[in-house]
Amino acid sequence: MTMNAGPPLLEIDRLSIDAVSAGRQVRLVDEVSLNLQAGQVLGLVGESGCGKSLLSYSILRLLEPGLRIAGGNIRLEGKSLTDLSERKIRAIRGNEISMIFQEPLTALNPVFTVGDQVAEVFRTHRGMSKAEARRKAVDALAEVGVPSPEIRVTQYPADLSGGMRQRVMIAMALACRPKVLIADEPTTALDATIQAQILELMRGLQRNFGTAIIFISHDLGVVAEVADRVAVLYCGRVVEEAPVAELFQNPRHPYTRGLMRAVPQPDAEVMPAILHEIKGNVPRPGHLPGGCRFHPRCPIARDICTTSDPQRIKVGADHHVACWEATDAH
Amino acid sequence: MLSHILKRLGHTVLVIIGISIISFVFLQLSGDPVGLMLPQDATSQQIEELRHKLGLDDPVIFQYLRFAGNALQGDLGRSLFSNEPVAGLILERLPATVELAFFSMAFALVIALPIGIVSALKRGTIIDTASMILALFGLSMPHFWLGIMMIMLFSVQLGWLPTSGRGSFLHIIMPAAAMGISMVALFARLTRSTMLEVLGQDYVRTARAKGLPGYLVIGKHALKNAMIPVITMIGMEFGLLLGGAVIIETVFAWPGVGRLIVQAIMDRDYPVVQGAVMLLAMVFVMVNLLVDLAYGWLDPNVSLQGESK
Ligand SMILES: Nc1ncnc2c1ncn2[C@@H]1O[C@H](COP(=O)(O)OP(=O)(O)O)[C@@H](O)[C@H]1O
Ligand SMILES: [Mg+2]
């Protein structure tokens, strides 16, 4: 993988998301910038509630009512998605950018057959006839390793195991060979063996189709298995971003190091010695501490951390972090 | 699917037997018709003779079995007053009642479903509030009063619709509307709340994420799920419509079973009341059987469970 190889495929540019209720605005995602190169896998990690899902929904403008993009831009191959008409963004959804979700149990509609739900994508984006789309649905299921797909297409989601349902979701998402796949915690709801199989499947498909992936997880270990680059999110902000090997060898943000503690490490002595568990809870949006958002939980917080917000700085080739400790070291 | 249907049919038969027993027993408790059939000064011997002739002196269980046996052959006895066959009396009027119930329901749904869906989609807006208030108006107006107002406006003032009777499609509009309007609020609110719940489901988000146009996301993915509770309510309300049409039948001189039952109750005309209750109950049970089958079609998981048992 090369750095800065031309303009990014997908560019998230100082994106902010607000919740608006009863005239009050709460910022949930705060000026997040991320770049995804063609064919690359970008991992997005952070504890539950840090805004990973909102960030991913906003790309396809799937935010629920009450949430809105408050600033910034999202561009696919240079063209802005945030101000596209509803009709044009629809033509992109499931076609150029698709999504899979955390809960395969509820993400498929219980009252339609699996075949119908996969075929819909072909009918919508490729204008295929019912019969043609049904045949393509069988092929699509075969591609993601669903056994006897010609029988599966006639079944309902309730007849399938969690792993099979997630395969169906993947088949649906990749049906139109999108340029970008957004996977929001695709394996979190699955048990360990199935999780490994699904990860393996995604890696294989990514190699074959060259799809760029935004892979979201709260588990840094899972992200490490699939991602080329990793962005660490805390309270709606990117606090650290680096290629995966660099991040694991040289984590600069105390939060990143805290997340790594939760990951079984093959070579634990590489880890810096100052680590403690991440203590405390994620602050609620709207009740964020002043200064650095992480300082109440940070093992190395100093005076400056409580009063002013660290800027994002470059600490290595393609390695960025927002932490006073790193700033001072430079 | 077939075994599901057979199982439901079995239930239906049991329910009908239950209804026949209950309606028979309750009528036994409600008093003796002989007193009404004979003149005030009848001797006790005359009374005994008539009771014997009608079989009212047999043990109750005998009377029931005789009734049930005959009913199976389509003979529900004869009216104690007009001496006409009960089955004939009722069947003559049953279609009118079922027709009225059907059109009232159709009227209610045609208005309520769009209101419910639009309110859910525009939740919290003026459209939402306004349509819910409008629907409540319908609920709070007694339907006999609505019926009379309609007659005054559309028949007397404007002369558009006939005041009463049954015949053309024009005849059914007002009685169906008068009965249907009170159900609009019920169905609109049910549709709104189930639709709201369904719209928040993950599979609706999936449908959007696939790039489906709005009419498929709402009209296909959300609606089919939202209809499941609505179908249940249709089955339950249909029973109320069948039994509760008496007032509207009277206002519009609609020749249905409701008026027949009321007259028969006042006359203590046992066989007619019993037969009418039985037949209405059967229609109700049949409608619910249809509702159940519609379930199987709407929600595959229901029929699957039926099969695996
Ligand atoms: N509709 C909403 N209205 C207000 N706040 C919301 C809404 N949806 C999510 N949030 C808040 O936004 C934050 C980020 O949520 P989310 O993106 O789902 O987190 P993650 O996916 O990282 O676990 C959470 O604190 C959550 O409570
Ligand atoms: Mg999430």
Side-chain angles (χ1 to χ4, degrees), chain A residues 17-21 26-29 45-57 63-67 102 184-185 216-218 233 236 282-285:
Chain A
I17 299 170
D18 282 359
V20 191
S21 73
V26 178
R27 177 127 314 179
L28 300 174
V29 170
V45 279
E47 285 163 292
S48 174
C50 68
K52 306 181 297 293
S53 294
L54 295 187
L55 183 63
S56 63
Y57 300 160
L63 291 174
E64 45 186 289
L67 297 173
Q102 177 169 348
D184 185 9
E185 311 232 14
I216 296 170
S217 178
H218 65 276
L233 220 57
V282 185
R284 280 184 301 135

Side-chain angles (χ1 to χ4, degrees), chain B residues 124-262:
Chain B
T125 65
I126 294 195
I127 299 177
D128 179 19
T129 320
S131 49
M132 284 300 127
I133 289 176
L134 211 68
L136 267 179
F137 263 119
L139 186 65
S140 41
M141 284 184 285
H143 49 10
F144 68 87
W145 181 81
L146 255 177
I148 293 169
M149 288 300 131
M150 283 180 176
I151 291 176
M152 279 168 53
L153 179 62
F154 294 109
S155 306
V156 180
Q157 292 287 324
L158 299 169
W160 290 350
L161 297 170
T163 51
S164 63
R166 175 173 179 239
S168 70
F169 179 69
L170 289 181
H171 283 91
I172 204 166
I173 294 177
M174 285 198 295
M179 284 228 289
I181 281 179
S182 61
M183 290 187 300
V184 167
L186 179 79
F187 280 107
R189 288 202 287 184
L190 181 67
T191 305
R192 179 182 181 273
S193 65
T194 58
M195 199 69 187
L196 274 181
E197 194 191 318
V198 166
L199 286 175
Q201 296 293 312
D202 287 355
Y203 53 76
V204 170
R205 185 183 57 205
T206 305
R208 287 216 169 87
K210 287 200 285 194
L212 299 188
Y215 72 89
L216 282 180
V217 175
I218 306 299
K220 179 179 173 183
H221 284 268
L223 197 59
K224 194 169 174 192
N225 284 281
M227 278 304 103
I228 293 171
V230 174
I231 293 280
T232 312
M233 186 62 86
I234 290 177
M236 282 165 27
E237 284 296 300
F238 204 82
L240 293 181
L241 283 180
L242 288 176
V246 178
I247 294 172
I248 285 296
E249 286 185 0
T250 307
V251 171
F252 289 96
W254 188 261
V257 183
R259 279 160 74 210
L260 183 71
I261 294 183
V262 171

Side-chain angles (χ1 to χ4, degrees), chain A residues 240 245-253 257 260 270 315 319:
Chain A
E240 184 161 14
E246 161 75 7
L247 190 80
F248 271 80
Q249 275 156 26
N250 189 20
R252 298 298 297 270
H253 201 286
R257 296 184 206 137
M260 279 177 188
V270 177
V315 290
H319 187 169

